[in-house]
Amino acid sequence: FCCAFHKFEILMKIILDFECKGLYNIITAKHKTTKGMMTMLNKVMLTGRFTADPKLKTKDESRFSKFCLAVQRPKRKGEKTAETDFFNCIAWNRNADVICDWFTKGDMITIVGNLRNHTYEKGGENRIATQIVASEIHFTGNKKTSDETERSEYNFSYDPDEFEEIFADEDVPF
């Protein structure tokens, strides 16, 4: 093999058979840049719920919102409860505006973005913090509630005493 990409390409063909699903073509379509170097990928897609109400902040001329998403892992066989991961995220400018205007604690959202690492010092130790920088946001669901009927804005219950009966030989009032 001439490079790691070709090892990966052959492994995908043999083991996973992505070629028939079309994903193989998407991944391998542009694996090299114009200078012949391999392109690297840093892409994250998360669907989760807000752990707190997002707040809009400003830095110089830019607006941003930092928030945390709780993303539940699928339950494994035999587990009683699913595990949850918490991801620190940040959105800038228009995305931050939309998030702060339309989402609150418990709302579900899908974000697409990339991972960023930041180094800082705390107590004399160097630390690394990882966050997701949201480049796309998608409305994906309603707020999770324990009893949907209690929180419903509309009550479509039927009470027959509220209506008067109209017989076929009477005029309809409209």
Side-chain angles (χ1 to χ4, degrees):
F1 301 108
C2 65
C3 69
F5 178 78
H6 288 106
K7 288 180 187 176
F8 176 72
E9 183 179 18
I10 290 171
L11 183 66
M12 283 178 53
K13 282 182 181 178
I14 294 170
I15 297 174
L16 303 174
D17 194 24
F18 276 102
E19 198 165 3
C20 66
K21 295 178 182 157
L23 184 57
Y24 171 81
N25 294 330
I26 294 169
I27 293 171
T28 59
K30 295 183 179 178
H31 74 280
K32 294 195 176 192
T33 63
T34 55
K35 295 181 182 179
M37 296 181 66
M38 187 178 287
T39 302
M40 296 183 193
L41 181 65
N42 179 359
K43 195 86 161 172
V44 176
M45 180 183 285
L46 296 173
T47 300
R49 295 189 183 277
F50 284 89
T51 60
D53 290 340
K55 292 183 176 33
L56 191 65
K57 298 178 182 178
T58 57
K59 182 178 182 180
D60 300 324
E61 299 279 324
S62 299
R63 298 169 315 284
F64 68 95
S65 177
K66 288 185 177 182
F67 53 93
C68 183
L69 286 185
V71 179
Q72 201 171 40
R73 294 183 201 170
K75 276 197 253 184
R76 291 186 180 166
K77 192 173 185 177
E79 289 183 350
K80 293 182 180 180
T81 59
E83 292 184 41
T84 303
D85 294 310
F86 297 89
F87 295 96
N88 293 320
C89 306
I90 188 168
W92 290 91
N93 298 319
R94 184 66 186 133
N95 283 340
D97 294 338
V98 171
I99 285 172
C100 290
D101 289 344
W102 290 94
F103 293 96
T104 59
K105 179 180 178 178
D107 288 346
M108 187 178 283
I109 188 173
T110 297
I111 64 167
V112 179
N114 55 54
L115 287 175
R116 295 276 169 94
N117 289 327
H118 299 280
T119 57
Y120 64 97
E121 191 174 315
K122 183 176 182 181
E125 292 183 30
N126 289 332
R127 297 183 180 230
I128 299 174
T130 302
Q131 67 182 5
I132 291 108
V133 179
S135 56
E136 298 175 29
I137 56 173
H138 302 275
F139 291 78
T140 51
N142 294 329
K143 186 177 286 193
K144 186 176 184 177
T145 60
S146 58
D147 186 5
E148 291 290 333
T149 56
E150 284 182 7
R151 301 197 51 170
S152 178
E153 290 182 29
Y154 305 104
N155 185 0
F156 293 109
S157 63
Y158 169 71
D159 183 9
D161 295 333
E162 292 180 9
F163 298 94
E164 62 181 80
E165 191 172 345
I166 300 176
F167 297 100
D169 58 346
E170 292 182 19
D171 290 334
V172 180
F174 48 87

